[in-house]
Amino acid sequence: MTEQLVIIVDQDDRPLGVEEKLAAHQLGLLHRAFSIFLINHEKKFLLQKRAANKYHSGGLWTNTCCGHAIPDEEIKKTAVRRLKEEMGISCDFEHLFSFQYKVVLHNSLTENEIDHVYIGSFNGLPALNTDEAEDYRWVGLPEIVAEIEQSPDNFTYWFKEIVSNKIFTNKFN
């Protein structure tokens, strides 16, 4: 993993400083992140399967794209760039909501994030960066919920949190 700085924040998402990404996860520091969900005209969401070699949550299904805000770049600009880098997609999206979560992962890393959730429309096919995502599929929300109930360990923690959030479910039910 190449060195990347993330923005350390307080409970109100106010920046406190920066830290190297891996160190922030090793120390469990609260930092700013984003999650992008793309939905098509059939009301199906584009999911990605994280590359198996990711430093955490490899091989798990998750939202279309996710990442961390970085210093000196507005979070949506980072999200637009990362969507293109990970999935080969350029499209518009809007902020839906933000939430905080904390979970200790299997490899002694801690995700402690204020996650800014974005939603957009897209009807094409992704061009996967296989260093980031090894597979993709389009899935309707009822099927996603059923799969999470049957096999929760197949999905990232933050994805399950977002899908169960009332703001998200109210918008797409």
Side-chain angles (χ1 to χ4, degrees):
M1 181 172 68
T2 60
E3 181 171 294
Q4 177 186 335
L5 297 177
V6 296
I7 302 170
I8 306 304
V9 297
D10 67 13
Q11 298 291 326
D12 295 316
D13 200 27
R14 291 184 297 243
L16 299 174
V18 298
E19 182 58 78
E20 193 276 321
K21 181 170 71 171
L22 184 57
H25 289 92
Q26 290 168 330
L27 299 169
L29 301 175
L30 182 61
H31 56 282
R32 192 178 289 161
F34 62 85
S35 293
I36 303 169
F37 284 76
L38 296 182
I39 189 169
N40 68 13
H41 63 278
E42 296 177 331
K43 304 232 184 288
K44 291 185 176 181
F45 291 93
L46 177 58
L47 305 187
Q48 71 154 271
K49 187 174 187 181
R50 289 170 60 88
N53 64 348
K54 297 289 281 185
Y55 71 107
H56 74 76
S57 305
L60 299 181
W61 288 98
T62 197
N63 46 286
T64 310
C65 176
C66 51
H68 298 92
I70 61 173
D72 302 323
E73 187 172 65
E74 192 270 326
I75 190 169
K76 187 169 182 185
K77 185 175 181 181
T78 305
V80 166
R81 182 174 46 76
R82 290 298 298 154
L83 180 61
K84 181 69 172 168
E85 292 170 358
E86 282 189 24
M87 302 296 283
I89 296 171
S90 296
C91 68
D92 194 29
F93 47 84
E94 64 185 34
H95 188 262
L96 186 59
F97 67 96
S98 299
F99 74 107
Q100 182 181 345
Y101 74 95
K102 184 176 184 179
V103 61
V104 177
L105 302 169
H106 71 280
N107 54 0
S108 300
L109 299 178
T110 299
E111 281 283 23
N112 187 9
E113 298 183 337
I114 293 183
D115 194 356
H116 296 260
V117 180
Y118 293 93
I119 185 73
S121 295
F122 178 72
N123 289 300
L125 295 175
L128 301 183
N129 172 346
T130 56
D131 290 334
E132 300 291 338
E134 62 185 49
D135 201 1
Y136 75 92
R137 60 191 172 123
W138 291 96
V139 187
L141 186 57
E143 292 80 16
I144 292 170
V145 171
E147 283 188 44
I148 289 172
E149 287 176 9
Q150 289 181 333
S151 303
D153 292 343
N154 291 344
F155 298 89
T156 62
Y157 183 85
W158 62 90
F159 179 76
K160 293 182 285 190
E161 289 290 307
I162 295 167
V163 168
S164 68
N165 186 292
K166 288 188 187 306
I167 296 170
F168 189 85
T169 56
N170 288 343
K171 182 160 180 78
F172 299 107
N173 276 332

